[in-house]
Amino acid sequence: MAQMTMIQAITDALRVELKNDENVLVFGEDVGQNGGVFRATEGLQKEFGEDRVFDTPLAESGIAGISIGLATQGFRPVPEIQFFGFVYEAMDAISGQMARLRYRSGNTMNAPITIRSPFGGGVHTPELHADSLEGLVAQQPGLKVVIPSGPYDAKGLLIQSIRDNDPVVYLEHMKLYRSFREEVPEEDYAIELGKANVVREGNDVTLVAYGAMVHSALKAAEELEKDGIDAEVIDLRTVMPVDFDTIVKSVEKTNHMVMVQEAQRQAGMASYIISNVQERAILHLEAPILTVAAPDTVYAFTQAEEVWLPNYQDIIEKVNQVINY
Amino acid sequence: MKRTIENIEEQFETFQILNEEGKVVNEEAMPELSDEELKELMYRMVYTRILDQRSIALNRQGRLGFYAPTAGQEASQLGTQFALEKEDFILPGYRDVPQLIWHGLPLYQAFLFSRGHYHGNQFPEGVNALSPQIIIGAQYTQAAGVAIGMKKRGKKAVAITYTGDGGTSQGDFYEGINFAGAYGAPAIFVVQNNRFAISVPVEKQTAAKTLAQKAVAAGIDGIQVDGMDILAVYAATKQARERAVNGEGPTLIETLTYRYGPHTMAGDDPTRYRTEDMDSEWEKKDPIVRFRKFLEEKGLWSEEEENEVIEKAKEEIKAAIKKTDEQPKQKVTELINNMYETLPAHLEEQLEEYQAKESK
């Protein structure tokens, strides 16, 4: 096994699937010669040739639109949207078109497309690079939305996303790209979509998180332990569909829940998840489910970013409120 | 300093073979078509005109749903389609149902599409096409993708897509022709310029004197064709197809045409934006009238033959509507099952809920 950063694990997953299936195509802005602005596709064009790994003109709607056309020819496109804040340019092609191909054609066609895209705050980007827009795509029936929290999951989830016969939006938190390494098997392995991971077991409160916030939740759990509060942390891994069974099972045990997301309170997955959990587990809850999220402004300008982004202390505060309700 | 815009219209002179009187004005451009093929073109135009009339009537009786009238545009629609091979892939706009029908879509399924039944979009094996696109221009980037895919597969086939004059204002229009050009992909982009995007005249759509010239910006071939002249439309498409399969890249074809009817049957009133003078001026250019004159001159067409086509069309439409009526009602449970290859848990729950509702 090798120690890999998340970005290396992503490159590795792409390599595995390019090797496994000759229908897999990797393309986007700067992904060819340059290996991607984050080096996610480093060396892939050299290894697999320009026919399979290629640069595109600079147009997100075009990138998403050609993916649909390529799917009709039996390909399995893996386009990159350079930063997910640019996805607004491609919204019709994604939500209006590829998400509906199977439905529209009465199950006679499908779009096995995996859109990869970096997102997430804390890395001092200019505007429209860091926004958490997972809620925007998760609200479109027909799409699946995957957000890994580290290298091991990133590889297994990306491999499974590419193999999925429906469109998947696979979001990569930029802060996680190189922040830590993990043991990642060199062989191929897949992690089932729609299955959450209990990354820390606990009895007093359930913290539901995804992406970079999984690490903030884990840090909060460590601190809370010192005060005698035993938190369970669930990493959703897939935010659409949501693994409610795992969440409900946990809440039945802890009787308390805090929902954690980096997105603004009005955005992201929190509202959807909380409404479903209360429908399924209200009698097990001893307090309202509270939310840790960013304020409902446009994503913060860089100089205010650190305060704007939710952190582990915000989580501790909400946990204390829930426990002492 | 030379200004490039000044003589742009000269570069995009309208290509015509048959004039309004049905006389050949461009002998050297005459496509090689047998007498049978010429008659087939007429057959299809007459048939499609009847289909349009019947569809409008059926819509008014409440027996069809969404319908975008086609009369006036037969040469543009059928002339382009006639230049295709079975393996070519059509990405139509919502007015382009006739091309799908002549590419193999059974009539009753076209009616089901109109009624809003998903079986209308379950194309039979071998009908290479997408269902009609609702979003203006979205099909242009998809067509580029189909064509890039065909090139990667080494297929000797083309992707052909359709939009209108209004569609050329969309970003996706330019992204589509530009992607196809950048990859040298075998695509044909058809713009049926019927002069109005619902009510907005083409003059308000763009400062461009022709829509064909938009090809220049993408570095691809562009041609403006008399869209009421089926021979010119056919010849231009045939040539674009040959170039495409020979690796010479995509072509943008602008056809100058006119829709006699409203935008759709959902309440559009063309008298608000068009004059009767304009209507009658375009009716003089009618594609069927001029092609009939041409064929009669050659002794290939008669009133009896035309009446036979009309009767046949009416009978087939009647039979197709009957088959449409017999189609089982669609269910929400079917729609749920058509969302994903494997249903996620939340949809499994909803499926059960609707199974209970629908079994009542």
Side-chain angles (χ1 to χ4, degrees), chain B residues 300-316:
Chain B
L300 291 174
W301 200 253
S302 66
E303 206 180 324
E304 297 88 79
E305 272 177 285
E306 186 152 332
N307 286 334
E308 277 171 35
V309 180
I310 292 168
E311 287 316 306
K312 184 162 187 272
K314 283 181 178 170
E315 271 168 42
E316 288 183 4

Side-chain angles (χ1 to χ4, degrees), chain A residues 126-141:
Chain A
E127 206 188 341
L128 285 163
H129 284 64
D131 299 55
S132 287
L133 301 176
E134 65 277 8
L136 194 66
V137 275
Q139 284 203 5
Q140 174 58 50

Side-chain angles (χ1 to χ4, degrees), chain A residues 23 51 55-56 59 61-62 65 69 72-74 92 97 102-107 141-143 165-166 280, chain B residues 121-122 130-131 133 135 138 141-142 145-146 149-150 152-153 155 172 175 179 183 335 337-341 349:
Chain A
N23 295 313
D51 197 46
D55 289 317
T56 62
S61 186
T72 70
Q73 299 303 302
D92 174 61
Q97 307 297 328
R102 183 185 290 279
Y103 172 88
R104 189 183 284 162
S105 68
N107 221 344
L143 298 176
N165 284 327
D166 288 301
R280 290 155 206 256
Chain B
N121 292 345
Q122 290 179 315
L130 289 181
S131 55
Q133 179 57 247
I135 298 298
T141 58
Q142 294 168 21
V146 173
M150 286 171 161
K152 287 188 187 296
R153 296 283 187 214
K155 284 187 190 170
D172 273 353
E175 290 187 32
F179 269 68
Y183 295 105
L335 304 185
N337 275 317
N338 288 346
M339 285 307 304
Y340 295 95
E341 183 178 48
E349 289 172 10

Side-chain angles (χ1 to χ4, degrees), chain B residues 95-260:
Chain B
R95 204 180 306 282
D96 304 308
V97 176
Q99 293 95 307
L100 291 176
I101 292 168
W102 295 111
H103 210 52
L105 180 68
L107 204 45
Y108 86 97
Q109 286 192 276
F111 290 152
L112 281 170
F113 161 75
S114 168
R115 286 187 180 180
H117 191 302
Y118 72 86
H119 182 51
N121 292 345
Q122 290 179 315
F123 292 180
E125 190 75 32
V127 176
N128 295 307
L130 289 181
S131 55
Q133 179 57 247
I134 299 301
I135 298 298
I136 306 296
Q139 66 275 34
Y140 262 54
T141 58
Q142 294 168 21
V146 173
I148 294 165
M150 286 171 161
K151 190 175 176 182
K152 287 188 187 296
R153 296 283 187 214
K155 284 187 190 170
K156 288 276 177 208
V158 300
I160 186 167
T161 188
Y162 296 85
T163 192
D165 36 314
T168 65
S169 298
Q170 287 278 17
D172 273 353
F173 166 82
Y174 176 72
E175 290 187 32
I177 63 173
N178 188 58
F179 269 68
Y183 295 105
I188 301 173
F189 297 100
V190 182
V191 174
Q192 295 178 75
N193 176 0
N194 66 17
R195 309 211 62 84
F196 291 90
I198 303 189
S199 67
V200 179
V202 67
E203 294 77 18
K204 288 194 178 160
Q205 204 64 242
T206 176
K209 292 283 193 293
T210 71
L211 301 177
Q213 78 198 55
K214 295 195 174 200
V216 175
I220 68 170
D221 240 27
I223 181 171
Q224 187 185 69
V225 183
D226 180 346
M228 308 300 257
D229 169 5
I230 198 162
L231 292 178
V233 172
Y234 170 81
T237 314
K238 188 84 180 161
Q239 193 192 30
R241 190 185 184 280
E242 270 164 31
R243 291 186 59 258
V245 297
N246 290 330
E248 292 168 55
T251 303
L252 176 66
I253 300 174
E254 175 191 9
T255 68
L256 297 179
T257 184
Y258 199 72
R259 99 174 116 74
Y260 298 156

Side-chain angles (χ1 to χ4, degrees), chain A residues 107-127:
Chain A
N107 221 344
T108 58
M109 298 178 105
N110 66 310
I113 298 165
T114 303
I115 298 173
R116 287 184 41 252
S117 189
F119 82 110
V123 291
H124 310 302
T125 52
E127 206 188 341

